[in-house]
Every structure is written in structure tokens, then in C-alpha cells.
Amino acid sequence: MDKKSIRQKMIEKRNALEEKKRINLSNQIADIIVESEIYKKFNNICVYQSFRGEVLCDRIKEQAFLDHKCVYLPVTDKEAHSICFYQIDESTTYVQGAYGILEPVILPGHITLQEPALILMPGLVFDSMKHRIGYGGGYYDRFLEKNKKHETIALCYAFQVIDEILPYEKHDVLPDYIATEKGIF
């Protein structure tokens, strides 16, 4: 199957997930992340604002604040086809940004990610080799290609990891790990 058909099939499957189940699975994934050695070794944690049924990062973000970690969210520049991570805190205000995703309001002097971080990233479908298919924008690929000092964990539900090897491009950047409600691999 091509990327477009795989993408559409998984969107339908993920959209069929009931809200209560999505929250429960997201909380299980969050617990696995915040108890992991990978999370514990980083002072900087990059989360994302979930949309379209993605794994929720809210619980991870809240725990990172409690753990006195620096938390960052991506802001998308559609014209430049890029993302940049900005530090947030409990008082951050948000505005609807690119693709309808909530992004932090950027004020003068806002801190951008400079130090190595654990970047939690979304994705739509993954295979056992950690190839991923997202929405086709390539934003994380471009950011990670230029910023190799970070470690990444892609978050998804277990049914989003398939046995079949996905089509991939030479420029695709694979996540270091994939986390589902069944664990991190």
C-alpha cells in the first residue's frame, strides 16, 4: 500500500477510538514515559498539543512541571516548513496556530530550545523498524535532521504499530523509541 492509503486507513481506525478509551490509553502511556529512565535523564522535555485523536501529552506536561523540568511546545511556520520549540509554563496562553493546533503565544524574549531535550513526537502509523508516517508535512524530520543532539520518543496507541514494513524516504528521521500503552521499544 502507498502512504496515502495507509494514512487514510489509520486515521479511520484512530478516529473510531472512543474519547474515554483515548484518555485512558494516553494516561497509561504518560505513566510509562514519566517513570522511564529516558524521561528522568532529561531536564528539557518537548511535548506537542494533540489533535485528531493523537495520544494526549497533558499528563506528561503536568508531571514535567511538577518535576521542575523545562517544558517546550512546537510552533509551526508553514511558509518556512519548519517548527521551533518554545518554553512554556503553567501560565502560558495559547492561540490557534498552523493546522488548527494550539500553540503558545510568543512574546519578546521567549526562550527557544537550545539544550539537549527529550522530544515527544506524534505519528500516525509505525512499523517495527521505527519508520513512521505522519501527516506528510515533514516538520519533525527537518527539525531533527538539523538538531541531532535530542532523543525522541514517538507516542502512539499499540494498534498504530503494524507488522508490515512501511514505505519510507531516505530523508526520514526515525524516532529513537516508540511508546505505546504496552511500553517503550
Side-chain angles (χ1 to χ4, degrees):
M1 290 198 323
D2 62 24
K3 282 186 178 184
K4 186 176 180 180
S5 355
I6 295 169
R7 188 178 285 125
Q8 187 56 43
K9 185 176 178 183
M10 190 55 74
I11 286 172
E12 290 169 9
K13 192 170 183 177
R14 194 179 64 189
N15 286 348
L17 195 62
E18 293 179 8
E19 184 69 12
K20 187 175 180 179
K21 181 75 170 173
R22 181 170 85 100
I23 292 168
N24 183 32
L25 292 174
S26 292
N27 288 341
Q28 288 177 45
I29 294 166
D31 290 344
I32 290 168
I33 294 292
V34 300
E35 292 170 8
S36 73
E37 291 305 313
I38 304 161
Y39 170 86
K40 291 174 184 175
K41 81 177 187 179
F42 282 95
N43 186 47
N44 300 299
I45 307 292
C46 298
V47 295
Y48 59 87
Q49 294 281 50
S50 68
F51 81 125
R52 297 191 221 172
E54 292 171 338
V55 172
L56 300 163
C57 287
D58 299 343
R59 193 167 178 165
I60 299 167
K61 178 174 64 173
E62 291 163 10
Q63 187 60 51
F65 288 142
L66 290 173
D67 293 338
H68 306 289
K69 293 182 182 282
C70 298
V71 180
Y72 296 81
L73 264 177
V75 172
T76 302
D77 182 336
K78 281 175 82 172
E79 288 182 22
H81 298 286
S82 66
I83 55 174
C84 184
F85 289 88
Y86 288 88
Q87 190 172 357
I88 60 168
D89 59 31
E90 292 94 335
S91 65
T92 298
T93 54
Y94 300 90
V95 63
Q96 195 169 41
Y99 306 103
I101 303 170
L102 289 179
E103 296 180 344
V105 173
I106 305 304
L107 303 170
H110 215 106
I111 299 171
T112 58
L113 181 63
Q114 303 296 321
E115 300 297 320
L118 174 60
I119 297 179
L120 304 179
M121 57 194 289
L124 192 52
V125 61
F126 300 86
D127 67 22
S128 60
M129 303 296 292
K130 298 187 280 188
H131 299 115
R132 72 187 257 281
I133 294 178
Y135 296 104
Y139 291 95
Y140 278 88
D141 289 326
R142 280 188 289 282
F143 178 83
L144 294 170
E145 183 60 38
K146 294 177 186 173
N147 298 277
K148 297 178 188 286
K149 62 187 170 191
H150 307 295
E151 281 191 55
T152 56
I153 301 179
L155 307 184
C156 66
Y157 311 111
F159 67 80
Q160 291 176 271
V161 181
I162 64 172
D163 293 329
E164 172 186 338
I165 299 299
L166 295 169
Y168 61 94
E169 308 295 328
K170 188 170 54 171
H171 63 270
D172 290 347
V173 178
L174 305 181
D176 296 306
Y177 307 94
I178 296 174
T180 73
E181 68 275 12
K182 295 181 178 181
I184 298 173
F185 68 92

